[in-house]
Amino acid sequence: MPELPEVQEVRRTLEPFVLNVKIADVKISRKSYIRSGATSLGGLIGHHVHHTARHGKKLFCIFDDGQVLLIHLGMSGRIDCCQPETPLAPHTHFSMLLATGMEFRMQDPRRFGGLWHYPDWAAAEKAEITGKMGVDALEVSASHFASWRTMHSRLKAHLLSQRTVAGLGNIYVDESLWLAQLHPLQVLSKIRLRHHAALAEAIHAVLDKSISMGGTTLRDYRNVAQQRGRFAQSLCVYGRGGLPCLHCGVKLTSKVIAGRTTVYCAQCQKRN
Ligand SMILES: [Zn+2]
């Protein structure tokens, strides 16, 4: 599933195709894929994407007149910008003809993703970010974990919830916890202050490295140029259950935690 680095890579590779390029036409093949707002999206025609923004795993296109189109890739969403005569991939739910003659297409076989339309940024922010999502993971610092001192939830489940830090999913939570030497079932209130700093540092290190490698492709994920991410070869724990910990050599534990297969080192990641 695309997490922050993959969405960031999609954003980077999408911008050259859409920034300041007028939308000539909009085609919706599956109406239910437009999750909210103006379901025809005809109001985008004649306008252009002025800039993009990202918060966690959500990618926003902000148009010249203020309209906002939120793109969520879900599990298997993929964007392609191609010549209109290119054969249509199965499960293409939405496309926009661009004034350059290229076509923006979004396909999503599993349909956990979708598009949300908002009249302006204030409406998008209120519906999508405020009160729902914590700080974007690239901006997180130890001070953002201050409220954890009174919270009794478990670390991995809380990170997956997006409420303190937005953008981490199963892969990058496991990688960050291993690097910070924190147990996925650690109770938040018992995490020591020095570990707050270690966790923030680990999140930055893992995400920065993945972004520099174009993200992680396990199966479906491709950027807009249809290239795979190369971070899978640098994963230290995800997918390595039963193999030796790269830090201490002990066999990594694989267990379902917070409903997700979780890999960690029982030797390096002790609970307080
Ligand atoms: Zn270890």
Side-chain angles (χ1 to χ4, degrees), residues 14-73:
L14 175 64
E15 283 188 340
F17 289 102
V18 298
L19 283 188
N20 301 312
V21 176
K22 259 189 194 169
I23 309 296
D25 201 6
V26 168
K27 278 184 274 180
I28 300 169
S29 319
R30 179 178 286 274
K31 277 191 176 159
S32 61
Y33 202 65
I34 317 299
R35 309 292 188 185
S36 76
T39 48
S40 79
L41 297 184
L44 300 179
I45 296 170
H47 292 285
H48 63 262
V49 178
H50 178 266
H51 61 283
T52 68
R54 184 195 50 71
H55 193 95
K57 305 173 204 172
K58 294 178 178 179
L59 174 59
F60 299 89
C61 291
I62 298 102
F63 284 75
D64 54 325
D65 64 343
Q67 297 182 77
V68 176
L69 188 65
L70 159 63
I71 300 171
H72 203 297
L73 299 172

Side-chain angles (χ1 to χ4, degrees), residues 69-245:
L69 188 65
L70 159 63
I71 300 171
H72 203 297
L73 299 172
M75 300 284 283
S76 57
R78 198 189 289 184
I79 292 170
D80 192 9
C81 288
C82 58
Q83 301 287 345
E85 54 271 22
T86 307
L88 206 62
H91 311 288
T92 300
H93 308 311
F94 173 75
S95 53
M96 293 191 290
L97 185 62
L98 306 169
T100 49
M102 299 294 278
E103 195 164 275
F104 167 111
R105 294 175 180 174
M106 185 161 180
Q107 61 176 118
D108 185 356
R110 301 181 67 184
R111 300 206 302 272
F112 285 99
L115 298 162
W116 282 253
H117 176 269
Y118 295 100
D120 52 47
W121 177 251
E125 193 177 35
K126 186 171 177 229
E128 300 292 339
I129 302 173
T130 312
K132 287 185 181 166
M133 300 176 86
V135 64
D136 184 76
L138 290 183
E139 307 290 328
V140 76
S141 68
S143 62
H144 291 111
F145 305 133
S147 63
W148 286 7
R149 276 176 253 167
T150 56
M151 293 169 82
H152 301 293
S153 27
R154 307 275 176 178
L155 182 52
K156 174 159 182 176
H158 187 77
L159 289 173
L160 290 176
S161 79
Q162 313 293 306
R163 296 195 76 85
T164 298
V165 191
L168 305 176
N170 203 31
I171 297 174
Y172 297 106
V173 166
D174 280 9
E175 293 295 312
S176 301
L177 293 185
W178 177 78
L179 194 56
Q181 305 207 329
L182 283 163
H183 194 287
L185 287 172
Q186 173 69 53
V187 173
L188 296 181
S189 61
K190 292 185 178 169
I191 300 176
R192 297 192 178 103
L193 284 183
R194 65 186 162 87
H195 279 132
H196 285 179
L199 179 58
E201 267 176 42
I203 289 171
H204 284 288
V206 168
L207 294 180
D208 287 348
K209 186 168 180 195
S210 180
I211 288 170
S212 75
M213 298 177 81
T216 304
T217 295
L218 299 172
R219 210 171 56 179
D220 299 313
Y221 168 74
R222 302 286 186 279
N223 68 15
V224 176
Q226 306 311 303
Q227 294 159 326
R228 300 165 63 91
R230 292 170 288 111
F231 188 66
Q233 58 198 281
S234 298
L235 292 169
C236 293
V237 279
Y238 183 89
R240 296 192 67 249
L243 294 172
C245 169

Side-chain angles (χ1 to χ4, degrees), residues 245 247-248 265 267-268:
C245 169
H247 185 64
C248 73
C265 174
Q267 178 72 25
C268 296

